[in-house]
Amino acid sequence: MRGLLTVGAPAGLDDPASQRAVERPASSPDGLDPATERPASPDGGGEREFDADQAWRLHPQVAVRPESFGALLYHFGTRKLSFLKNRIILAVVQSLADHPDARSALRAAGVEDAALGPYLHALGVLAGSNMLVPVVAEEAP
C-alpha cells in the first residue's frame, strides 16, 4: 500500500532531503498492532501522542486545498506543508470535528477495522506536526 501522507519541511525550503514520505505497512515489523499504535511527531520535536478514541479537529491555522490526488494542507503558523495522498484520508481529516473521536470519523469514511493502521499512522503524524489538535471538552460534539 502506498503511503497516505507526505510531510514537507517548512515552506520555502527546497531541499529534497527535508521531505519524507510517511508510510506504515498493514502489519508492522516492530510487532505492534497497527490499530493501537501511538505514533509520535515525524521530526522528533514537540511530540503529541495521538489517541484515536479522542475527538480531534484541524488546527485553526491550517488551510486545506483539495487536489485530484487528495489534498494539500498548509499550516500558516508553522509554515509546514503536508500532502494527503488519497480522498479517503481527506474526507476523514475534513470530518474529524463532526465526530466524537477519530475512529468514528474513519468508520464513517468507510475505513474497515482491518485497514485502520495506515490511517491512524497518518493522523498521528498530522497531530505530531500540529495540523490536528485535540478537541477540548467544551468543544466536543
Side-chain angles (χ1 to χ4, degrees), residues 11-69:
L13 297 179
D14 295 328
D15 177 17
S18 68
Q19 296 184 354
R20 72 178 146 263
V22 177
E23 187 171 330
R24 176 69 62 168
S27 59
S28 181
D30 55 10
L32 296 176
D33 176 9
T36 59
E37 172 182 3
R38 298 185 187 265
S41 171
D43 58 7
E47 286 186 19
R48 168 169 292 163
E49 193 170 290
F50 182 75
D51 181 357
D53 297 316
Q54 180 176 352
W56 293 86
R57 65 179 174 83
L58 278 168
H59 189 286
Q61 291 184 312
V62 172
V64 178
R65 185 172 121 188
E67 295 286 346
S68 59
F69 59 82

Side-chain angles (χ1 to χ4, degrees), residues 18-126:
S18 68
Q19 296 184 354
R20 72 178 146 263
V22 177
E23 187 171 330
R24 176 69 62 168
S27 59
S28 181
D30 55 10
L32 296 176
D33 176 9
T36 59
E37 172 182 3
R38 298 185 187 265
S41 171
D43 58 7
E47 286 186 19
R48 168 169 292 163
E49 193 170 290
F50 182 75
D51 181 357
D53 297 316
Q54 180 176 352
W56 293 86
R57 65 179 174 83
L58 278 168
H59 189 286
Q61 291 184 312
V62 172
V64 178
R65 185 172 121 188
E67 295 286 346
S68 59
F69 59 82
L72 297 171
L73 273 61
Y74 181 75
H75 194 300
F76 286 93
T78 63
R79 297 179 33 187
K80 284 191 177 182
L81 181 66
S82 295
F83 298 84
L84 302 182
K85 292 186 174 181
N86 72 40
R87 295 206 176 254
I88 295 171
I89 192 69
L90 171 60
V92 171
V93 166
Q94 289 180 316
S95 71
L96 279 172
D98 300 330
H99 296 279
D101 55 59
R103 284 186 203 280
S104 298
L106 287 159
R107 289 185 182 118
V111 179
E112 296 180 13
D113 288 346
L116 283 176
Y119 291 93
L120 290 174
H121 181 75
L123 293 173
V125 170
L126 290 171

